[in-house]
Amino acid sequence: EEQQDLENNPKTLEDFNNTNIVLISGLAATEVFLGEKYTGASSDLVKIRKIYEVMSQNGLLSFGEFIESTSSSSAPTPFNTSRPQINRDKFEEYLKNIYESAVDLLKEHKTLVETLFVALKKKKTLTSEEVEEIILSMEEIPHSSEKEEIKG
């Protein structure tokens, strides 16, 4: 059902990548905020793999060659309806890259995420207006990288 939804709503490579970064960001947040690498979140990893398969099937990945098809009747092609076996090494490389992107984004916006956490801890829920207000107030504060440049 979820796989079918992905296939029926074509997206750009950037859309797929952003969706996958969001899915893996929980794992990345554990590293950034707790200093630990967590190996859980298997359901998110399954979703990422399904999205990666769709990306490969639709020709969005230049390296998305199929190494074999689960259908013995025909050779794998980008539009084969059988479920392909993706190249495991390429997938693991992709997974590593989106994980690193999520870590980088969280580190870049760590102060904002911490501020949102504190606000959520106090109120339990935030409206979109409250989130926007927090984001706008944070734009006035230099990012950690900018602070270092100022000190330096």
Side-chain angles (χ1 to χ4, degrees), residues 16-43:
F16 280 119
N17 286 335
N18 289 340
T19 298
N20 285 337
I21 289 169
V22 168
L23 286 169
I24 205 162
S25 64
L27 286 173
T30 305
E31 179 181 343
V32 172
F33 293 99
L34 302 177
E36 301 173 2
K37 287 201 175 188
Y38 180 66
T39 58
S42 61
S43 64

Side-chain angles (χ1 to χ4, degrees), residues 24-82:
I24 205 162
S25 64
L27 286 173
T30 305
E31 179 181 343
V32 172
F33 293 99
L34 302 177
E36 301 173 2
K37 287 201 175 188
Y38 180 66
T39 58
S42 61
S43 64
D44 288 339
L45 295 174
V46 167
K47 289 176 188 174
I48 291 169
R49 182 182 172 93
K50 286 179 182 180
I51 292 170
Y52 183 87
E53 288 173 356
V54 171
M55 293 165 65
S56 293
Q57 286 173 323
N58 293 329
L60 291 173
L61 303 174
S62 60
F63 55 83
E65 312 90 24
F66 304 129
I67 55 173
E68 62 183 72
S69 173
T70 55
S71 167
S72 58
S73 63
S74 64
T77 65
F79 303 105
N80 193 340
T81 58
S82 65

Side-chain angles (χ1 to χ4, degrees), residues 136-148:
L136 290 173
S137 72
M138 296 300 295
E139 289 178 356
E140 298 170 8
I141 302 170
H143 293 18
S144 58
S145 61
E146 292 171 353
K147 288 179 187 175
E148 291 172 12

Side-chain angles (χ1 to χ4, degrees), residues 89-112:
D89 291 338
K90 298 285 186 183
F91 175 69
E92 288 179 4
E93 180 183 337
Y94 174 78
L95 199 58
K96 180 181 176 227
N97 288 338
I98 63 167
Y99 180 82
E100 288 173 0
S101 293
V103 167
D104 291 346
L105 277 169
L106 287 166
K107 285 180 178 178
E108 180 181 344
H109 301 285
K110 189 174 182 177
T111 304
L112 174 59

Side-chain angles (χ1 to χ4, degrees), residues 1 4 8 10 20 26 47-48 54 60 62 81 88 101 116-118 125-126 128 137 139 148-150:
E1 180 181 321
Q4 199 171 29
N8 292 334
N20 285 337
K47 289 176 188 174
I48 291 169
V54 171
L60 291 173
S62 60
T81 58
R88 184 180 178 98
S101 293
L116 288 168
F117 169 76
V118 169
T125 60
L126 296 173
S128 59
S137 72
E139 289 178 356
E148 291 172 12
E149 290 174 9
I150 294 169

